[in-house]
Amino acid sequence: MKQLIKIDNLSFSYGKSTVLENINFVVEEKDYIGLIGPNGGGKTTILKLIVGLLKPNHGTIEMNFNGSKNGQNNIGYIPQFGSMEANFPIKVKDVVAMGVCHSASFMPWFNKKENIKIEKSMEDVSISDLSEVSFNELSGGQKQRVLIARALVSDPEILLLDEPTSSVDSSSELDIYELLKNLNNEKTIILASHDLGFISSYINKVACVNKNLVAHKIGDVSSETIIKDAYKNSVNMINHKCGL
């Protein structure tokens, strides 16, 4: 299987606070990887390092996208959900179009090829009927689909998602995971999440992140092992039946 990303002996600190230490990790084509771990454990930092928003203190990140070693342009990144200004008048199609904007863009319109990409990315996440709707009129699940479409419009090889269901209800959460499962037929996906129970039926690998990183194939380990690696014995698993 083709290796897309190889992280070798990576460490990162915010000032004197070490967040990641001696990270070794490989991402292969068509992987669907869940990053699991506590708040502050380093999940978001790993995603930002891959995207290039941060630079490691030590170690390397090698990328191999379409034969290129410079892979940032082949990455679609969906950061943690943040609310836009409620009165900001932007339509869904304009949010999606942000994905094809670049430093050389001077005009407030797009060429035919770019418009086709915008329409296709909306179709891929089933939001074409919302193209003229104001972004801030949407539900949390619909907004997340719009942001995924924005990431897809540049046709990246890999999608990085940081807590994509943190602001949606449980039914929308399931819809988003089903959407990502379908996208995984064509895209490699890395998803940071707290919800092992929800994502375990979708991912093929889990990376437990808490300063260090321990990776497993999802079928090779138990939930107890994953929680131990991610939380380092700081939590206990409770098995119960609540009838809900």
Side-chain angles (χ1 to χ4, degrees):
M1 188 68 70
K2 176 183 175 183
Q3 287 188 1
L4 297 184
I5 300 173
K6 182 180 180 182
I7 299 176
D8 186 40
N9 199 31
L10 181 146
S11 297
F12 179 83
S13 300
Y14 290 106
K16 295 182 179 180
S17 176
T18 300
V19 179
L20 298 170
E21 190 170 48
N22 299 325
I23 302 297
N24 294 281
F25 188 44
V26 171
V27 179
E28 296 179 317
E29 191 173 33
K30 300 296 179 62
D31 269 344
Y32 190 164
I33 299 171
L35 295 181
I36 303 296
N39 287 332
K43 301 188 302 296
T44 296
T45 301
I46 287 179
L47 297 182
K48 288 182 176 180
L49 285 161
I50 293 173
V51 174
L53 296 175
L54 298 173
K55 302 296 182 184
N57 299 120
H58 303 285
T60 59
I61 302 176
E62 296 180 7
M63 299 185 184
N64 183 27
F65 295 104
N66 293 324
S68 172
K69 296 296 183 181
N70 182 14
Q72 267 82 21
N73 291 333
N74 290 286
I75 298 173
Y77 177 50
I78 301 97
Q80 287 191 36
F81 189 86
S83 60
M84 291 188 176
E85 172 58 45
N87 296 319
F88 189 65
I90 186 168
K91 296 179 180 179
V92 164
K93 67 178 181 181
D94 297 323
V95 175
V96 177
M98 292 177 182
V100 293
C101 291
H102 49 80
S103 59
S105 297
F106 294 105
M107 301 298 183
W109 56 80
F110 302 95
N111 61 39
K112 182 178 180 180
K113 183 178 179 180
E114 290 169 334
N115 278 313
I116 290 173
K117 288 183 177 181
I118 293 166
E119 293 295 331
K120 183 180 184 304
S121 66
M122 289 193 292
E123 290 174 6
D124 287 345
V125 300
S126 303
I127 58 167
S128 295
D129 59 325
L130 302 173
S131 63
E132 297 295 324
V133 176
S134 173
F135 181 80
N136 288 291
E137 294 178 7
L138 303 180
S139 68
Q142 289 171 328
K143 287 179 179 178
Q144 197 59 258
R145 282 177 177 264
V146 173
L147 298 179
I148 293 171
R150 183 179 66 179
L152 287 172
V153 76
S154 60
D155 193 25
E157 287 189 58
I158 185 169
L159 290 176
L160 307 183
L161 302 100
D162 194 356
E163 301 284 356
T165 60
S166 60
S167 299
V168 304
D169 59 31
S170 58
S171 61
S172 296
E173 184 176 15
L174 180 60
D175 288 343
I176 289 170
Y177 286 133
E178 287 292 332
L179 167 63
L180 294 174
K181 178 182 178 181
N182 291 331
L183 292 174
N184 185 228
N185 292 325
E186 300 294 333
K187 308 291 183 184
T188 302
I189 296 175
I190 304 177
L191 180 151
S193 176
H194 289 91
D195 197 342
L196 174 63
F198 235 122
I199 69 171
S200 60
S201 59
Y202 296 97
I203 60 178
N204 71 314
K205 295 177 183 176
V206 58
C208 306
V209 184
N210 191 355
K211 191 174 182 179
N212 306 118
L213 184 150
V214 181
H216 305 278
K217 292 183 179 179
I218 194 65
D220 293 344
V221 291
S222 65
S223 297
E224 289 86 350
T225 299
I226 293 171
I227 289 174
K228 179 181 178 182
D229 287 340
Y231 293 92
K232 298 183 178 178
N233 295 320
S234 62
V235 298
N236 294 315
M237 174 172 280
I238 299 173
N239 295 313
H240 67 97
K241 295 181 179 180
C242 64
L244 296 178

